Amino acid sequence: MSAVSSLGYLGLGVKNLEAWEQFATEVLGLQSAGIGKDGVLRLRMDEHACRFALHRDDCDDIAYAGWEVADAAALGAIAERLRAGGVEVEAGSPEIAAARGVAELIRFSDPDGVTGEVFYGPSVEFERPFHSPRAISGFKTGDQGLGHIVIAAKDVERSVRFYRDLLGFRISDFIEMKIGSMGFTMAFLHCNPRHHTLALIPLPLPKRLLHFMIQARSIDDVGATMYLAQDRGIEIASTLGRHTNDHMLSFYLRSPSGFEVEYGWGGREIDDRTWHVQKHHAPSIWGHRRAGMPG
Ligand SMILES: [Fe+2]
């Protein structure tokens, strides 16, 4: 069955583009490709021409998730499966494909109204190697895509069916969470060896995007970035810790849009030939202290 192979790009609607450019480059260590004539700020983290597209928008939330597939045949198969599943699918216009820098794409809404785009043929620029403005070792991407996102889903079971049965994700595990007297279950899904590319949390939250995660190639980059953020007065939304399910060692920063960015290192990987779904009862083995929400 044709399946999404990675999170190829992420579109964000942000109120303050200038604050984001500074935060993304000077703190996260992403490379700015500049603000285009279309007013979109594009950010790089590897050989891809655009991993993040930031649109000026008051929502300060996810605008769209770009799910990569191998080729036109895979795109066609997924479009067909979505339509058969009752999902309205729109073919991306040549203008949108050009704006995303991809060969072809389709657009649709997930069960909670989050815009999804399945595409193939991203623009890659090996001739212009990624160069972080910071002295960091770079990011773990490749077949694992840009990282992961955690989004709010009213009905996690319904969303799992959507992402698993129509887009081809596999379940990694579940975390049974408890905040005070409130209990709920988060679902984690993968589409490549990255432990999860998508996580779903069934809480009525003000934003659909809780956080996105980018994975540094060196543990020192995580430590150095945490202290840099502290020195610059950026809120550490969750302190250093290691997660129970993906074993990611990470901390969380508050982005200029309010949602968080998880800065991680050392996540464990999934081999679909041997992986068994697991159930966890806490988000972290140690650390990740925060005032409110879970990581
Ligand atoms: Fe995360």
Side-chain angles (χ1 to χ4, degrees):
M1 148 168 157
S2 295
V4 158
S5 59
S6 73
L7 178 60
Y9 58 78
L10 185 60
L12 301 171
V14 308
K15 221 179 266 181
N16 191 337
L17 215 50
E18 291 71 27
W20 255 101
E21 185 165 31
Q22 199 175 12
F23 172 74
T25 56
E26 295 178 15
V27 181
L28 302 181
L30 301 173
Q31 182 181 358
S32 174
I35 298 177
K37 281 189 194 130
D38 54 2
V40 177
L41 169 64
R42 293 179 174 82
L43 300 166
R44 292 181 62 187
M45 64 191 306
D46 60 8
E47 67 275 11
H48 283 234
C50 175
R51 284 299 199 177
F52 294 89
L54 276 59
H55 302 254
R56 208 182 286 277
D57 190 302
D58 282 347
C59 70
D60 270 331
D61 204 348
I62 184 170
Y64 48 83
W67 306 113
E68 186 168 347
V69 294
D71 52 26
L75 183 68
I78 288 183
E80 208 170 293
R81 208 160 56 227
L82 282 165
R83 288 194 178 106
V87 179
E88 209 173 297
V89 177
E90 176 197 328
S93 67
E95 290 73 29
I96 293 180
R100 304 284 190 269
V102 304
E104 202 181 335
L105 79 156
I106 55 168
R107 308 186 84 207
F108 50 88
S109 292
D110 88 349
D112 291 284
V114 175
T115 299
E117 299 182 348
V118 174
F119 73 96
Y120 75 92
S123 295
V124 292
E125 300 180 331
F126 285 108
E127 73 282 16
R128 295 201 301 155
F130 168 69
H131 184 77
S132 174
R134 285 191 50 215
I136 56 168
S137 53
F139 299 98
K140 181 130 185 108
T141 56
D143 65 356
Q144 296 192 21
L146 74 82
H148 72 231
I149 53 173
V150 179
I151 55 176
K154 205 180 276 176
D155 180 341
V156 163
E157 282 178 31
R158 176 183 67 171
S159 294
V160 164
R161 284 197 298 275
F162 179 86
Y163 284 99
R164 181 192 60 198
D165 300 345
L166 302 181
L167 296 183
F169 281 79
R170 282 84 68 198
I171 295 170
S172 308
D173 44 38
F174 301 97
I175 302 184
E176 286 183 352
M177 303 285 300
K178 216 168 174 153
I179 302 176
S181 60
M182 184 175 54
F184 58 90
T185 300
M186 290 181 68
F188 296 77
L189 299 106
H190 64 277
C191 56
N192 58 49
R194 186 182 295 286
H195 173 277
H196 59 279
T197 289
L198 174 69
L200 303 161
I201 182 166
L203 290 182
L205 299 163
K207 291 182 197 297
R208 291 183 291 194
L209 180 65
L210 256 79
H211 70 259
F212 66 79
M213 190 285 307
I214 51 178
Q215 186 173 341
R217 289 191 172 275
S218 154
I219 189 172
D220 295 308
D221 294 343
V222 175
T225 304
M226 190 181 73
Y227 284 103
L228 174 67
Q230 272 185 345
D231 289 346
R232 294 180 63 133
I234 294 166
E235 182 190 338
I236 307 294
S238 172
T239 62
L240 199 63
R242 192 184 279 276
H243 281 302
T244 48
N245 61 346
D246 65 356
H247 294 184
M248 190 76 74
L249 188 142
S250 62
F251 76 101
Y252 292 65
L253 314 82
R254 181 79 54 202
S255 80
S257 290
F259 57 74
E260 298 171 12
V261 178
E262 181 180 7
Y263 210 84
W265 170 82
R268 66 169 163 164
E269 295 173 7
I270 284 181
D271 180 344
D272 273 315
R273 292 170 303 181
T274 53
W275 184 259
H276 284 203
V277 174
Q278 301 185 325
K279 197 162 90 172
H280 303 275
H281 305 275
S284 304
I285 300 169
W286 55 267
H288 286 141
R289 287 195 179 154
R290 60 164 62 240
M293 292 292 307

